[in-house]
Amino acid sequence: MSLSDRRALVTGGAGFIGSHLAERLLADGSDVLLVDDLSNGDRDRIPDGAEFLEADLTEPTALDGHLDDVDVVFHLAASKHVDTDRPHGQFDDNTRMTRNILEAMADADVTEIAYTSTSTVYGEAPRPTPEDYAPLEPISAYGASKLADEGLLSARAHSHDLTVWNFRFANVVGPRLRGAVIPDFIEKLRDDPEHLTILGDGRQEKSYLHVEDCLDAMFHVVDHANAAMNTYNLGTRTTTSVDRIATIVAEELGVDPDREYTGGERGWTGDVPKMRLSIEKLSALGWEPSLSSDEAVRRSTREIIEEFQ
Ligand code: NAD
């Protein structure tokens, strides 16, 4: 399926990945409608040329009248906090959004959806983790909501006329990323270049994917996979530890801080300390990341430092 010259609806379009996706779709000649409630999005990220609807997608009527001429939905809107103080509320919100979108799509005869799932659906699984790993035992309400969403999408894909591209992302990094380890370290070191507090023992080790690679991979899968339910891991073959991220950020800022660790193997409740996804299925479809995990971290660090100037 080619995305050029089509009308796409992007939920969560004022967020980090959604705003980059919107720019890419516009550059490819698509019409783009962004929907976001701005709870974690920013109006300034909405690119010129995109239409914008401010709406809360947990409301069943949020998309009434807005899907009639849409060809494909990219569903990114979600509450993505892993350590939340309202796990059941978060689960309800995320799954309600997906249910509402599926109902609105069915009413408007829209038959294609790309969904942004996550490595956290695997819980603490052996690495590298392939798409057919089981049992799926997420350790956070966020991961549970994404797994439930996958179930809703699968049920509809296998029983109605619906094509689903289901992307299980590693950690995505790049310009506009906020509320994550790289911008957190940059902000802390700008405030105090002599000292850095690191959550956990610093040995948490995860795979980081640059947002440009992430979008390339999404578009490649949409173009080349046409089953009813197409589930793909998106990541890199390598990992970066939190200590290594601290080193990269310090190098890029030209500082040499003392490090203090809060201790324990995970940074917060629900954190999966080690994550690396198998990307053999994606590789067999003909796509490879252009940057390693370390390279993605370093490039993003430079990009985010630039934004903070
Ligand atoms: P983000 O928080 O920047 O973007 C999500 C957007 O959804 C925000 O702009 C927010 O305002 C919006 N939103 C939340 N609740 C909403 C509601 N009720 N109605 C309308 N809009 C609502 O997050 P992101 O990093 O860009 O992530 C995009 C998607 O990718 C999410 O679904 C996330 O779970 C998934 N994902 C991201 C990563 C990552 O590393 N960034 C990793 C795995 C999966």
Side-chain angles (χ1 to χ4, degrees):
M1 196 271 282
S2 167
L3 290 167
S4 304
D5 304 323
R6 306 181 87 219
R7 183 163 169 83
L9 181 143
V10 180
T11 75
F16 161 50
I17 302 171
S19 60
H20 286 282
L21 172 64
E23 286 173 358
R24 182 79 69 101
L25 287 166
L26 287 165
D28 277 7
S30 295
D31 261 359
V32 180
L33 170 61
L34 306 183
V35 187
D36 202 298
D37 69 351
L38 302 178
S39 56
N40 198 39
D42 188 338
R43 209 176 274 280
D44 290 345
R45 291 172 171 162
I46 298 166
D48 290 344
E51 294 166 47
F52 179 59
L53 171 68
E54 184 175 345
D56 177 354
L57 289 162
T58 64
E59 294 295 332
T61 55
L63 291 177
D64 280 4
H66 294 286
L67 273 171
D68 293 341
D69 49 357
V70 163
D71 299 301
V72 57
V73 171
F74 287 82
H75 177 29
L76 283 74
S79 158
K80 64 171 187 176
H81 304 291
V82 168
D83 188 10
T84 175
D85 53 7
R86 47 179 292 276
H88 296 123
Q90 180 191 42
F91 182 90
D92 287 349
D93 286 351
N94 285 350
T95 53
R96 190 175 294 133
M97 275 193 257
T98 302
R99 191 194 68 184
N100 289 343
I101 287 162
L102 282 172
E103 284 180 9
M105 288 176 67
D107 288 347
D109 289 325
V110 181
T111 58
E112 293 172 345
I113 182 168
Y115 177 71
T116 52
S117 187
T118 153
S119 63
T120 62
V121 297
Y122 295 115
E124 293 183 81
R127 300 170 303 283
T129 316
E131 288 84 349
D132 57 2
Y133 174 79
L136 295 178
E137 295 181 359
I139 64 165
S140 63
Y142 167 66
S145 73
K146 290 290 181 172
L147 185 54
D149 278 352
E150 289 192 9
L152 285 171
L153 290 159
S154 170
R156 184 114 205 138
H158 290 295
S159 56
H160 293 81
D161 180 18
L162 182 72
T163 302
V164 177
W165 295 279
N166 175 38
F167 299 109
R168 292 178 178 159
F169 289 169
N171 284 3
V172 183
V173 293
R176 302 177 203 151
L177 177 66
R178 296 294 182 269
V181 61
I182 298 173
D184 180 42
F185 283 175
I186 293 171
E187 283 185 282
K188 282 179 176 166
L189 288 173
R190 284 166 64 94
D191 287 348
D192 182 358
E194 308 286 318
H195 182 82
L196 182 64
T197 301
I198 293 177
L199 300 180
D201 60 11
R203 282 181 283 183
Q204 307 96 302
E205 196 174 310
K206 307 181 190 189
S207 166
Y208 293 84
L209 176 69
H210 194 274
V211 66
E212 294 298 336
D213 269 349
C214 177
L215 295 178
D216 281 347
M218 287 173 73
F219 280 49
H220 186 87
V221 172
V222 169
D223 273 349
H224 292 91
N226 54 14
M229 179 85 182
N230 305 279
T231 294
Y232 281 81
N233 288 340
L234 266 56
T236 52
R237 296 181 193 283
T238 51
T239 56
T240 309
S241 70
V242 171
D243 257 332
R244 176 85 189 123
I245 295 175
T247 300
I248 291 171
V249 173
E251 283 172 359
E252 293 299 327
L253 286 171
V255 299
D256 185 18
D258 295 333
R259 299 180 188 196
E260 181 192 344
Y261 299 90
T262 59
E265 63 169 359
R266 58 189 91 231
W268 49 85
T269 304
D271 183 27
V272 175
K274 298 202 189 298
M275 176 273 287
R276 180 160 70 93
L277 301 177
S278 164
I279 56 167
E280 295 316 313
K281 190 175 173 188
L282 186 57
S283 180
L285 201 66
W287 190 87
E288 293 290 334
S290 72
L291 300 177
S292 69
S293 181
D294 273 16
E295 287 168 344
V297 168
R298 189 173 292 278
R299 180 170 149 191
S300 305
T301 300
R302 289 180 183 159
E303 290 164 336
I304 296 167
I305 290 173
E306 187 81 16
E307 290 173 339
F308 284 176
Q309 303 288 327

